[in-house]
Amino acid sequence: MSEEKSLNFIEEFIEDDLKTGKHQSIQTRFPPEPNGYLHIGHASSIVLNFGLKEKYNGKCNLRFDDTNPVTEDTEFVESIKNDIKWLGYEWDAELYTSDYFETLYGYAVKLIEKGLAYVDDSTAEEMAAMKGTPTEPGKNNEYRYRSIEENLKLFAEMREGKYKDGEKALRAKIDMAHTNMLMRDPIIYRIKHVDHHRTGSEWCIYPMYDFAHGQSDSIENITHSLCTLEFLPHRPFYDWCIEKLEIFPSRQIEFARRNMTYTVMSKRRLKQLVEEKHVNGWDDPRMPTLSGLRRRGYTANSIKCFSERTGIAKRDNIVDIGLLDFCLRDDLNKIAQRRMAVLDPIKVVILNYEEGKTEKLIAQNNPEKEEDGSRELNFSREIFIERADFMEEPPKKFFRLGPGLKTRLKHAYILECVDFKKDESGRVTELHCNYFKDSKSGEDVSGIKVKGVIHWVNCADAIDAEVRLYDRLFKVENPMAEDGDFKDYINEDSLEIISNAKIEPALAEAKDGEHFQFLRKGYFIKDKESTPEKIVFNRAVGLRDSWAKRNMK
Ligand code: ATP
Ligand code: MG
């Protein structure tokens, strides 16, 4: 890969506008509707908007698009702010479309005064009937011919609360025969007698999204307003408002939504998963929300890396979730503290190790980062290893333990299995081994060659832990493209709870948000449900990287 990355189409627009002097500097915005938690699709938009700010030394606002009083909540506002900060970005201003209600009202009045808006008494059904179809023009109704004075009076009365919900609406007067249906006199204000989470009962009329979003861009002098492709047909109205209202010429540019395999990516559907209890809340570690990913153990860097690598597209596409995991492993390999944890323990008695003796071994915290130092591990006669690291009848090339087989214990000694015990059901309950005293890691003079290295924990000070392993939330790559309901494709086995894991004592001090690699088991983080009695770890991702194998040579 060359160092110099070519510009994407949005950067080309920006550089053009800077070159021609249309703008001296750029101003972007991230405009979430506070009606749910942010997901990794939003992260793409955040990385794009804040990334451009950084690249061109411009500004980026956080604007809550809170024009719909019914669905919005301050809980969502807080979580959105928290998520953006977590990703490492700072907004230049925190703004709310609802702060512009008075200005927007003034804009609507201006349109009426110019003869470009009218109050319509039709019901929703009547309006739909007059709207035409994509192949048939719509028709003008009688209200369209109202005088400017009458419209001004009626609109003022709408604001005063004289009319019920749906009784009247304000529409832009454009062209009922326009080839773009969205230009056939779109509604710009509707009556809704509901309180708003910020303006309370001050308003009973609210601007429609299309009559708020673009105008808010202009109010904030947004130079480049980046939105997803479904807004392409809205652009003519966006430009119409700028022209007729003679306001700042913000430029709308569309890009493709980010989709990812094995999940769904819309607040509406994620909300269904939460409400119908397919997952345990918005921050369930299986959710593609930023709060879910964070809780699962994804890092902000991995999400940024994912967004940057997938870039900006003009056409909708779906990105392999494996790329996100690749980015995560790449990041965690550098920063995660190495620890040992046995998820499915079996006890080992080291017969030739002195009873009652405990020795201290030194273990490096992160071989990728010398400065992270090392810790002490206790070693004694009884330890736990993984059940899967023993086989009663091992095949060739099984380099772990079996009758007569030797392997190395990480940071410790070479062990040889001499015997094992079983219960009535035939389940192996205990291994008996000998160790080689002169084979200690770092000072091995035993001359014994072994191929395997396994992890272990010391019985006497091991801590019990619950470990949660996650799999994909859906069984198919694109649940939205399948027949029937997307929820029919939920993976019922996406959570495996291991309640009797044994972990090394250093993990008792795990801090919130601290990342660990459990040797040979993957990357883990302490879950928020941990208590002093029971510590819980989530696995973010395993160590094996099938994505890299498939995609990088
Ligand atoms: P959803 O369908 O999930 O509710 P939305 O577009 O309604 O998404 P908003 O809160 O309106 O959610 O989105 C805030 C910003 O994030 C918008 O600019 C939107 O275009 C962008 N965005 C939302 N989803 C994606 C996505 N999947 N990929 C890229 N950008 C997205
Ligand atoms: Mg939206």
Side-chain angles (χ1 to χ4, degrees):
M1 254 196 266
S2 71
E3 278 294 307
E4 193 96 338
K5 271 208 284 188
S6 59
L7 299 181
N8 65 42
F9 68 95
I10 295 176
E11 292 166 339
E12 277 173 12
F13 281 135
I14 291 177
E15 300 211 351
D16 244 23
D17 288 345
L18 291 172
K19 223 177 283 161
T20 62
K22 183 178 178 193
H23 302 296
Q24 305 308 313
S25 63
I26 69 155
Q27 167 84 59
T28 60
R29 87 285 173 267
F30 175 64
E33 189 181 337
N35 62 349
Y37 285 71
L38 296 183
H39 50 62
I40 191 157
H42 292 114
S44 282
S45 176
I46 295 171
V47 170
L48 174 64
N49 281 293
F50 285 91
L52 289 170
K53 161 196 155 141
E54 286 169 4
K55 178 164 180 183
Y56 293 102
N57 200 14
K59 288 192 166 140
C60 181
N61 290 345
L62 168 59
R63 181 200 314 143
F64 289 102
D65 231 321
D66 57 351
T67 44
N68 185 356
V70 188
T71 54
E72 293 151 5
D73 207 313
T74 40
E75 172 198 346
F76 299 131
V77 167
E78 289 313 309
S79 80
I80 289 169
K81 283 160 64 173
N82 189 30
D83 285 346
I84 299 173
K85 280 190 218 149
W86 177 67
L87 284 176
Y89 294 115
E90 264 177 56
W91 46 90
D92 291 280
E94 176 185 334
L95 302 161
Y96 294 79
T97 303
S98 56
D99 291 340
Y100 308 139
F101 280 172
E102 194 60 54
T103 310
L104 295 171
Y105 180 82
Y107 285 165
V109 169
K110 186 169 176 183
L111 286 182
I112 298 175
E113 285 169 349
K114 285 185 141 190
L116 293 171
Y118 62 99
V119 174
D120 193 329
D121 299 358
S122 314
T123 62
E125 293 73 37
E126 285 164 350
M127 277 192 211
M130 300 285 275
K131 192 125 200 192
T133 65
T135 51
E136 251 178 89
K139 293 193 197 82
N140 293 344
N141 66 24
E142 60 190 286
Y143 309 109
R144 204 172 194 268
Y145 303 100
R146 273 180 165 147
S147 69
I148 291 175
E149 290 67 38
E150 190 184 1
N151 281 318
L152 285 171
K153 176 176 152 280
L154 291 173
F155 189 48
E157 287 173 356
M158 280 169 64
R159 177 181 185 168
E160 284 157 22
K162 200 164 170 194
Y163 305 108
K164 290 198 282 291
D165 288 11
E167 213 179 315
K168 286 185 171 22
L170 185 71
R171 298 176 73 174
K173 195 170 175 177
I174 307 177
D175 179 3
M176 285 304 287
H178 203 287
T179 47
N180 181 337
M181 297 281 285
L182 295 171
M183 292 294 272
R184 293 185 187 172
D185 292 8
I187 296 178
I188 57 181
Y189 261 90
R190 64 208 190 290
I191 302 172
K192 254 191 192 169
H193 288 271
V194 266
D195 284 2
H196 185 278
H197 76 110
R198 295 190 85 235
T199 56
S201 58
E202 196 183 331
W203 293 89
C204 63
I205 56 170
Y206 292 96
M208 299 297 284
Y209 179 84
D210 276 344
F211 192 68
H213 191 93
Q215 288 59 280
S216 305
D217 285 343
S218 291
I219 293 170
E220 294 174 19
N221 288 356
I222 301 299
T223 55
H224 300 86
S225 170
L226 315 176
C227 62
T228 39
L229 276 180
E230 71 271 22
F231 288 99
L232 181 64
H234 296 244
R235 200 195 316 155
F237 184 61
Y238 186 99
D239 292 338
W240 184 88
C241 289
I242 288 174
E243 185 198 324
K244 303 299 178 194
L245 292 167
E246 300 162 83
I247 50 181
F248 183 84
S250 302
R251 176 181 195 161
Q252 174 177 309
I253 306 171
E254 307 83 14
F255 64 95
R257 265 176 188 270
R258 164 84 53 253
N259 295 303
M260 202 167 68
T261 54
Y262 298 102
T263 191
V264 291
M265 198 83 88
S266 109
K267 275 180 271 180
R268 194 163 53 85
R269 299 202 180 85
L270 297 175
K271 197 175 184 146
Q272 275 182 53
L273 295 177
V274 174
E275 283 173 358
E276 295 169 23
K277 302 211 172 345
H278 297 288
V279 294
N280 303 315
W282 284 97
D283 69 346
D284 185 297
R286 293 165 292 183
M287 291 278 271
T289 52
L290 296 182
S291 47
L293 291 165
R294 175 167 63 239
R295 182 171 167 196
R296 166 99 167 244
Y298 283 78
T299 59
N301 271 342
S302 67
I303 290 167
K304 282 196 210 169
C305 154
F306 172 76
S307 301
E308 278 159 10
R309 271 175 174 263
T310 44
I312 296 305
K314 283 190 187 172
R315 251 193 255 150
D316 280 323
N317 54 51
I318 182 161
V319 180
D320 189 342
I321 198 171
L323 174 61
L324 177 61
D325 291 344
F326 168 82
C327 291
L328 181 63
R329 289 189 187 95
D330 189 47
D331 190 27
L332 289 181
N333 181 46
K334 294 178 213 134
I335 62 167
Q337 301 295 293
R338 273 55 169 178
R339 296 287 183 265
M340 293 202 284
V342 174
L343 305 192
D344 185 9
I346 183 168
K347 191 169 164 183
V348 177
V349 180
I350 305 167
L351 303 174
N352 64 344
Y353 198 90
E354 195 178 315
E355 261 179 87
K357 175 178 165 183
T358 299
E359 70 179 295
K360 305 251 183 238
L361 302 173
I362 300 297
Q364 212 182 350
N365 284 328
N366 183 357
E368 300 289 318
K369 230 172 148 190
E370 200 71 45
E371 65 268 30
D372 283 354
S374 56
R375 66 194 186 282
E376 281 185 340
L377 294 172
N378 285 337
F379 185 77
S380 60
R381 186 177 155 92
E382 292 185 352
I383 61 171
F384 292 114
I385 65 163
E386 294 289 348
R387 177 166 292 281
D389 286 336
F390 171 81
M391 281 183 89
E392 208 177 323
E393 289 167 36
K396 260 195 204 153
K397 296 204 171 164
F398 185 76
F399 300 122
R400 292 167 272 169
L401 290 177
L405 292 188
K406 294 189 195 71
T407 199
R408 172 170 292 284
L409 296 173
K410 183 76 183 172
H411 304 303
Y413 298 94
I414 293 173
L415 220 53
E416 177 174 30
C417 179
V418 292
D419 193 14
F420 59 92
K421 271 199 211 162
K422 278 183 179 178
D423 63 15
E424 311 84 70
S425 70
R427 187 175 153 89
V428 178
T429 53
E430 194 172 290
L431 304 184
H432 292 165
C433 296
N434 284 322
Y435 86 117
F436 296 87
K437 202 173 176 173
D438 52 359
S439 68
K440 190 165 160 182
S441 285
E443 44 198 81
D444 180 4
V445 290
S446 68
I448 303 167
K449 292 272 169 284
V450 290
K451 283 198 170 139
V453 183
I454 65 173
H455 60 280
W456 55 277
V457 292
N458 188 40
C459 285
D461 46 25
I463 296 172
D464 290 327
E466 178 176 309
V467 171
R468 299 177 184 171
L469 307 179
Y470 301 97
D471 196 358
R472 294 164 168 152
L473 189 50
F474 288 90
K475 288 181 283 202
V476 294
E477 273 199 5
N478 185 359
M480 298 313 301
E482 302 285 336
D483 291 337
D485 189 65
F486 75 99
K487 284 171 278 147
D488 297 343
Y489 300 92
I490 289 178
N491 175 9
E492 302 297 342
D493 302 318
S494 56
L495 168 62
E496 184 190 347
I497 297 183
I498 294 173
S499 51
N500 60 339
K502 303 282 183 187
I503 62 177
E504 66 165 275
L507 283 168
E509 274 117 59
K511 294 190 222 41
D512 293 340
E514 195 179 5
H515 298 277
F516 297 99
Q517 184 193 102
F518 290 0
L519 292 183
R520 299 171 65 222
K521 288 289 156 193
Y523 292 101
F524 292 78
I525 193 165
K526 191 173 76 170
D527 189 71
K528 68 169 190 186
E529 286 174 6
S530 292
T531 61
E533 292 74 43
K534 188 184 76 177
I535 187 162
V536 180
F537 280 93
N538 293 320
R539 179 157 73 183
V541 68
L543 293 175
R544 204 173 63 96
D545 195 341
S546 49
W547 186 88
K549 238 177 247 166
R550 261 181 290 125
N551 295 280
M552 320 221 334
K553 286 264 154 69

